[in-house]
Amino acid sequence: MIPAPFEYARAESVDHAIELLSTHEDAKVLAGGHSLLPLMKVRFAQPAMLVDIGRTEEGRTQWMAVVSAPENLARIDRYRDIARRLARAEGVSDGEARALAEEGKAV
């Protein structure tokens, strides 16, 4: 099978990745990729947009597909906020970072 159509964007920085993810409702951050193409070929994974988050130490593109439970998706905005705060870490104390990391999830 052929994957469903999708947009592709390469993030130039953390801020650019956050911008891409927040402006596209179904955008996915991708890194790794061993099972992404097979999932896309059978259309189990159908992201509207893929965001390239950079290269590995070997110079390869990073890809990651994320699958989550409906309960997590219901709180996705909160988890996005936590991820943004931890990614930037500006003005976040060690205690706040620990609390955010405990509350947050890999959605």
Side-chain angles (χ1 to χ4, degrees):
M1 291 185 76
I2 297 173
F6 60 90
E7 291 182 61
Y8 171 84
R10 175 173 286 156
E12 302 298 326
S13 66
V14 171
D15 287 337
H16 187 218
I18 291 169
E19 176 188 339
L20 288 167
L21 292 167
S22 63
T23 58
H24 294 82
E25 185 177 321
D26 193 32
K28 303 290 185 227
V29 175
L30 303 169
H34 295 277
S35 62
L36 176 62
L37 288 178
L39 291 174
M40 290 177 69
K41 285 181 180 179
V42 296
R43 298 197 177 191
F44 180 75
Q46 296 185 45
M49 175 181 224
L50 304 181
V51 178
D52 177 346
I53 59 171
R55 304 250 177 228
T56 66
E57 288 295 315
E58 297 85 21
R60 293 179 288 183
T61 301
Q62 293 189 62
W63 301 99
M64 176 179 64
V66 178
V67 178
S68 189
E71 307 82 61
N72 293 337
L73 295 175
R75 298 198 63 217
I76 192 75
D77 290 334
R78 175 64 181 149
Y79 297 138
R80 281 184 181 149
D81 180 57
I82 290 169
R84 282 187 195 109
R85 292 183 64 197
L86 289 173
R88 290 186 177 165
E90 297 169 355
V92 177
S93 71
D94 288 347
E96 289 173 311
R98 277 191 285 282
L100 288 168
E102 188 173 309
E103 180 186 351
K105 294 181 180 262
V107 182

